[in-house]
Amino acid sequence: MRDFSQFIREVPDFPKPGIVFKDITPLIGSPAAFHRVIDAFTLHYKYETIDIVVGIEARGFIFGTALAYRLGAAFVPIRKQGKLPYKTLETTYDLEYGTDTMAIHRDAIRKNSKVLICDDVLATGGTLAASIDLVKKLEGDIVGVTVLIELTKLNGREKVPYDDIFSLIKYEY
Ligand code: AMP
């Protein structure tokens, strides 16, 4: 089962006209597919030293927590503004649809911790770029950036200041 794309449902015009939403719920709703996706991420990073997996709200939590568990790493959430209860560091950025402000707890990453950042979709790259910015400001050492799905046509990699992005499914359109 290497073709994980069969488990991604494409929903046209959600949440706005013109956006084809990549719905991951069929994938996480299949025990075998979910297991194999986490196995594939784990295999890719198992020889790296990773102290923390940072997952991006909300679907980055699903893959990030499972991956943190498998790698024996901690999990740190990056959340939308106003959701985290303690002192936060924040950054505002452009989305494929709209703008957003993301936040991380100021004490979430110890200086020089080895950090892997995880999300579900790389679209325009703004979300990952903002997350990298937050981790760098906390002086984490980014050792990986990974997504389940990459929408290559949007050239998100150009916006993300990290070269070695690992994606499991690529859409060329
Ligand atoms: P971007 O900042 O443009 O790379 O957008 C990435 C974020 O928006 C991710 O957290 C995704 O969950 C979400 N996203 C963007 N485009 C889509 C899409 N076509 N389908 C599903 N999620 C998307």
Side-chain angles (χ1 to χ4, degrees):
M1 192 201 293
R2 281 303 304 194
D3 183 16
F4 297 121
S5 65
Q6 63 183 294
F7 293 96
I8 305 300
R9 176 165 48 205
E10 298 190 83
V11 184
D13 300 322
F14 182 88
K16 280 187 176 177
I19 303 291
V20 181
F21 194 85
K22 301 289 189 280
D23 177 16
I24 58 147
T25 62
L27 186 142
I28 59 175
S30 159
F34 189 29
H35 199 113
R36 284 182 196 210
V37 157
I38 299 303
D39 278 354
F41 283 133
T42 306
L43 192 66
H44 191 81
Y45 290 107
K46 73 176 185 179
Y47 298 113
E48 301 279 350
T49 299
I50 293 167
D51 302 314
I52 297 170
V53 176
V54 166
I56 304 169
E57 184 171 357
R59 291 175 298 276
F61 295 176
I62 297 168
F63 302 103
T65 49
L67 184 55
Y69 179 80
R70 288 287 299 277
L71 293 173
F75 178 79
V76 167
I78 286 184
R79 298 207 62 182
K80 309 247 162 70
Q81 187 180 36
K83 298 281 187 186
L84 287 169
Y86 187 59
K87 293 175 197 158
T88 56
L89 186 68
E90 300 187 351
T91 188
T92 299
Y93 66 102
D94 294 326
L95 277 177
E96 188 185 4
Y97 36 86
T99 68
D100 230 333
T101 298
M102 302 300 270
I104 192 169
H105 273 155
R106 283 184 178 268
D107 66 350
I109 293 173
R110 215 174 288 145
K111 188 175 175 181
N112 297 329
S113 299
K114 306 280 183 207
V115 176
L116 169 62
I117 298 177
C118 178
D119 202 3
D120 64 332
V121 175
L122 167 58
T124 65
T127 307
L128 279 178
S131 302
I132 287 171
D133 181 49
L134 289 173
V135 171
K136 282 188 176 163
K137 281 185 177 142
L138 293 178
E139 299 182 90
D141 178 13
I142 298 169
V143 295
V145 173
T146 191
V147 291
L148 177 68
I149 297 166
E150 177 175 358
L151 309 179
T152 56
K153 217 177 153 190
L154 295 173
N155 296 320
R157 280 178 190 256
E158 287 174 16
K159 203 189 266 184
V160 179
Y162 188 83
D163 285 340
D164 192 14
I165 300 170
F166 176 60
S167 60
L168 282 178
I169 308 168
K170 287 186 172 68
Y171 288 88
E172 312 286 338
Y173 54 88

Short mmCIF file of all heavy atoms in Angstrom, two decimals, residues 19-22 59 94-97 119-127 151, ligand 1:
data_model
loop_
_atom_site.label_atom_id
_atom_site.label_comp_id
_atom_site.label_asym_id
_atom_site.label_seq_id
_atom_site.Cartn_x
_atom_site.Cartn_y
_atom_site.Cartn_z
N ILE A 19 -10.98 26.17 -4.01
CA ILE A 19 -10.07 25.32 -3.24
C ILE A 19 -10.55 23.87 -3.33
O ILE A 19 -11.73 23.58 -3.15
CB ILE A 19 -10.04 25.72 -1.73
CG1 ILE A 19 -9.66 27.20 -1.55
CG2 ILE A 19 -9.13 24.80 -0.93
CD1 ILE A 19 -8.24 27.54 -1.89
N VAL A 20 -9.62 22.97 -3.67
CA VAL A 20 -9.94 21.54 -3.62
C VAL A 20 -9.35 21.00 -2.32
O VAL A 20 -8.13 20.84 -2.21
CB VAL A 20 -9.37 20.78 -4.84
CG1 VAL A 20 -9.75 19.30 -4.75
CG2 VAL A 20 -9.89 21.39 -6.13
N PHE A 21 -10.21 20.78 -1.35
CA PHE A 21 -9.75 20.39 -0.03
C PHE A 21 -9.33 18.92 -0.02
O PHE A 21 -10.06 18.05 -0.50
CB PHE A 21 -10.86 20.62 1.01
CG PHE A 21 -10.37 20.56 2.42
CD1 PHE A 21 -9.83 21.69 3.03
CD2 PHE A 21 -10.46 19.39 3.16
CE1 PHE A 21 -9.37 21.64 4.33
CE2 PHE A 21 -9.99 19.33 4.46
CZ PHE A 21 -9.46 20.46 5.06
N LYS A 22 -8.16 18.65 0.52
CA LYS A 22 -7.66 17.27 0.64
C LYS A 22 -8.07 16.75 2.01
O LYS A 22 -7.48 17.11 3.03
CB LYS A 22 -6.14 17.24 0.48
CG LYS A 22 -5.63 17.81 -0.85
CD LYS A 22 -5.97 16.89 -2.01
CE LYS A 22 -5.30 17.30 -3.29
NZ LYS A 22 -5.95 18.40 -3.99
N ARG A 59 -4.66 19.28 11.93
CA ARG A 59 -4.39 17.93 11.44
C ARG A 59 -2.93 17.52 11.61
O ARG A 59 -2.62 16.32 11.59
CB ARG A 59 -4.87 17.81 9.99
CG ARG A 59 -6.39 17.86 9.90
CD ARG A 59 -6.89 17.88 8.49
NE ARG A 59 -6.46 19.02 7.72
CZ ARG A 59 -7.06 20.21 7.72
NH1 ARG A 59 -8.16 20.39 8.44
NH2 ARG A 59 -6.59 21.21 7.02
N ASP A 94 0.37 34.44 5.63
CA ASP A 94 -0.67 34.23 4.60
C ASP A 94 -0.95 32.75 4.41
O ASP A 94 -0.04 31.94 4.41
CB ASP A 94 -0.20 34.81 3.25
CG ASP A 94 -0.07 36.32 3.32
OD1 ASP A 94 -0.87 36.95 4.04
OD2 ASP A 94 0.85 36.85 2.66
N LEU A 95 -2.21 32.43 4.21
CA LEU A 95 -2.65 31.06 3.90
C LEU A 95 -3.02 30.94 2.43
O LEU A 95 -3.15 31.95 1.75
CB LEU A 95 -3.93 30.74 4.66
CG LEU A 95 -3.92 30.29 6.10
CD1 LEU A 95 -5.36 30.14 6.56
CD2 LEU A 95 -3.20 28.96 6.24
N GLU A 96 -3.27 29.69 1.98
CA GLU A 96 -3.84 29.50 0.64
C GLU A 96 -5.19 30.22 0.60
O GLU A 96 -5.60 30.76 -0.40
CB GLU A 96 -4.00 28.01 0.33
CG GLU A 96 -4.39 27.72 -1.10
CD GLU A 96 -4.65 26.24 -1.36
OE1 GLU A 96 -4.61 25.44 -0.42
OE2 GLU A 96 -4.93 25.92 -2.52
N TYR A 97 -5.88 30.21 1.75
CA TYR A 97 -7.15 30.93 1.86
C TYR A 97 -7.14 31.79 3.12
O TYR A 97 -7.27 31.31 4.22
CB TYR A 97 -8.34 29.96 1.86
CG TYR A 97 -8.14 28.64 2.57
CD1 TYR A 97 -8.34 28.52 3.94
CD2 TYR A 97 -7.73 27.51 1.86
CE1 TYR A 97 -8.18 27.32 4.59
CE2 TYR A 97 -7.55 26.30 2.51
CZ TYR A 97 -7.78 26.21 3.88
OH TYR A 97 -7.61 25.00 4.52
N ASP A 119 3.05 18.51 9.51
CA ASP A 119 1.70 18.99 9.20
C ASP A 119 1.05 18.04 8.18
O ASP A 119 1.72 17.15 7.66
CB ASP A 119 1.74 20.42 8.67
CG ASP A 119 0.39 21.13 8.84
OD1 ASP A 119 -0.55 20.54 9.41
OD2 ASP A 119 0.28 22.29 8.39
N ASP A 120 -0.22 18.27 7.88
CA ASP A 120 -0.87 17.37 6.92
C ASP A 120 -0.60 17.79 5.48
O ASP A 120 -0.27 16.97 4.64
CB ASP A 120 -2.39 17.27 7.19
CG ASP A 120 -3.15 18.57 6.98
OD1 ASP A 120 -2.54 19.64 7.16
OD2 ASP A 120 -4.35 18.52 6.66
N VAL A 121 -0.74 19.11 5.18
CA VAL A 121 -0.65 19.57 3.79
C VAL A 121 0.35 20.73 3.66
O VAL A 121 0.31 21.68 4.45
CB VAL A 121 -2.03 20.06 3.30
CG1 VAL A 121 -1.94 20.66 1.90
CG2 VAL A 121 -3.05 18.91 3.29
N LEU A 122 1.22 20.63 2.66
CA LEU A 122 2.03 21.77 2.24
C LEU A 122 1.36 22.35 1.01
O LEU A 122 1.31 21.71 -0.05
CB LEU A 122 3.46 21.33 1.92
CG LEU A 122 4.36 22.33 1.18
CD1 LEU A 122 4.50 23.64 1.94
CD2 LEU A 122 5.74 21.72 0.90
N ALA A 123 0.79 23.54 1.16
CA ALA A 123 0.13 24.21 0.03
C ALA A 123 1.02 25.37 -0.41
O ALA A 123 2.00 25.16 -1.13
CB ALA A 123 -1.27 24.64 0.42
N THR A 124 0.74 26.59 0.04
CA THR A 124 1.58 27.73 -0.36
C THR A 124 2.86 27.83 0.47
O THR A 124 3.76 28.60 0.12
CB THR A 124 0.82 29.06 -0.21
OG1 THR A 124 0.53 29.27 1.17
CG2 THR A 124 -0.48 29.05 -1.00
N GLY A 125 2.91 27.11 1.58
CA GLY A 125 4.13 27.09 2.40
C GLY A 125 4.11 28.07 3.56
O GLY A 125 5.00 28.04 4.42
N GLY A 126 3.09 28.95 3.61
CA GLY A 126 3.06 29.97 4.67
C GLY A 126 3.00 29.39 6.07
O GLY A 126 3.68 29.90 6.98
N THR A 127 2.23 28.34 6.24
CA THR A 127 2.07 27.74 7.58
C THR A 127 3.39 27.14 8.06
O THR A 127 3.80 27.34 9.21
CB THR A 127 0.97 26.66 7.55
OG1 THR A 127 -0.21 27.24 6.99
CG2 THR A 127 0.68 26.13 8.93
N LEU A 151 1.17 19.90 -2.35
CA LEU A 151 0.53 20.38 -3.57
C LEU A 151 1.62 21.11 -4.37
O LEU A 151 1.86 22.30 -4.18
CB LEU A 151 -0.64 21.31 -3.24
CG LEU A 151 -1.65 20.75 -2.22
CD1 LEU A 151 -2.77 21.76 -1.95
CD2 LEU A 151 -2.24 19.43 -2.71
P1 AMP B 1 -0.20 26.71 3.35
O1 AMP B 1 0.16 27.63 4.48
O2 AMP B 1 -0.80 27.42 2.20
O3 AMP B 1 0.94 25.78 2.97
O4 AMP B 1 -1.39 25.81 3.89
C1 AMP B 1 -1.15 24.74 4.71
C2 AMP B 1 -2.20 24.61 5.78
O5 AMP B 1 -3.52 24.85 5.30
C3 AMP B 1 -2.16 23.22 6.33
O6 AMP B 1 -2.20 23.29 7.74
C4 AMP B 1 -3.37 22.56 5.76
O7 AMP B 1 -4.06 21.87 6.76
C5 AMP B 1 -4.24 23.64 5.17
N1 AMP B 1 -4.53 23.50 3.74
C6 AMP B 1 -4.13 24.33 2.75
N2 AMP B 1 -4.59 23.95 1.57
C7 AMP B 1 -5.30 22.82 1.78
C8 AMP B 1 -6.01 21.91 0.93
N3 AMP B 1 -6.10 22.11 -0.38
N4 AMP B 1 -6.58 20.84 1.52
C9 AMP B 1 -6.49 20.63 2.84
N5 AMP B 1 -5.84 21.45 3.69
C10 AMP B 1 -5.24 22.52 3.18
#
